[in-house]
Amino acid sequence: MTDGKYVTLAEVRDLLTAENEKRELLSSQKAAMEQARTVSPLTVEQAKALVTEVSAVPGVTDYTAVKIADLLPKYPEDVRAIFAKERVNVDTVMIKQILDITAKYIPVQ
């Protein structure tokens, strides 16, 4: 992206799908599109709403918000793994806030 913003897998999926309708994608682009289709259960609107909502949690950057939307953590260990390389004190309150938000977006199986 030329504007330097982070995009969710749902956005990647939709961008590549739209581009695939216009022209033949490279094999790496096709692989990325299939991966995004496989692992991202959210619509672009849901992903953007989740990123916006989780960004309101103190300590969550744009990058980590997008990672949270892509991974949809269900357990405290998942949240800790997302923040493992960040210089943020991840406490139980923050983890609970993130898990409460993502729980609203996890599709029912």
Side-chain angles (χ1 to χ4, degrees), residues 11-26 29-30 33 37:
E11 292 172 284
V12 169
R13 178 193 61 225
D14 286 4
L15 289 169
L16 288 173
T17 300
E19 193 62 28
N20 190 41
E21 293 172 2
K22 297 177 192 174
R23 65 176 177 90
E24 182 69 23
L25 297 178
L26 300 173
Q29 292 169 324
K30 287 180 185 177
M33 181 177 64
R37 282 183 182 164

Side-chain angles (χ1 to χ4, degrees), residues 19-92:
E19 193 62 28
N20 190 41
E21 293 172 2
K22 297 177 192 174
R23 65 176 177 90
E24 182 69 23
L25 297 178
L26 300 173
S27 60
S28 60
Q29 292 169 324
K30 287 180 185 177
M33 181 177 64
E34 288 306 314
Q35 177 68 15
R37 282 183 182 164
T38 303
V39 300
S40 181
L42 302 179
T43 65
V44 171
E45 294 78 20
Q46 289 172 321
K48 286 182 178 180
L50 174 54
V51 167
T52 301
E53 202 171 337
V54 80
S55 292
V57 176
V60 176
T61 63
D62 291 343
Y63 172 78
T64 52
V66 169
K67 285 288 139 208
I68 290 166
D70 288 346
L71 298 173
L72 293 173
K74 295 179 184 177
Y75 305 103
E77 296 79 20
D78 299 337
V79 176
R80 284 190 195 96
I82 292 170
F83 284 91
K85 291 187 177 182
E86 301 295 316
R87 295 182 181 255
V88 176
N89 183 21
V90 183
D91 59 8
T92 55

Side-chain angles (χ1 to χ4, degrees), residues 2 6 81 92 97 104:
T2 57
Y6 297 104
T92 55
Q97 287 176 319
K104 298 187 286 187

